[in-house]
Amino acid sequence: LNGRSNGFFLLRFSSTEPGFFTVSVSKMGKGKVTHFRIQHKPCTNQYVVGGLQNPVTYKSISALIEG
């Protein structure tokens, strides 16, 4: 993702935690990539970012990306 335009993202299944997704987002102005782990709660429209300390819930992956 390095060298991509600001906001370019990649969504994939987490390689370390089954049932989770990882979103990697390009931050062009800062020249780095930020990673977010997302928990999907099965049988719901809930995608949680931030873990136990500061959880933020979204109703879809699209809402999370746009948010």
Side-chain angles (χ1 to χ4, degrees):
L1 293 176
N2 286 330
R4 298 289 183 166
S5 61
N6 191 36
F8 191 89
F9 68 92
L10 171 70
L11 175 67
R12 62 181 173 81
F13 292 108
S14 174
S15 61
T16 57
E17 292 196 49
F20 284 70
F21 296 97
T22 298
V23 175
S24 302
V25 182
S26 173
K27 302 279 186 172
M28 188 65 170
K30 298 181 180 181
K32 63 180 181 178
V33 176
T34 304
H35 306 280
F36 300 95
R37 182 164 291 137
I38 304 164
Q39 178 185 14
H40 175 243
K41 296 187 176 185
C43 301
T44 71
N45 287 334
Q46 294 185 348
Y47 296 86
V48 182
V49 178
L52 298 174
Q53 297 162 352
N54 298 310
V56 178
T57 302
Y58 296 89
K59 291 186 178 186
S60 69
I61 293 288
S62 297
L64 185 148
I65 298 296
E66 294 171 2

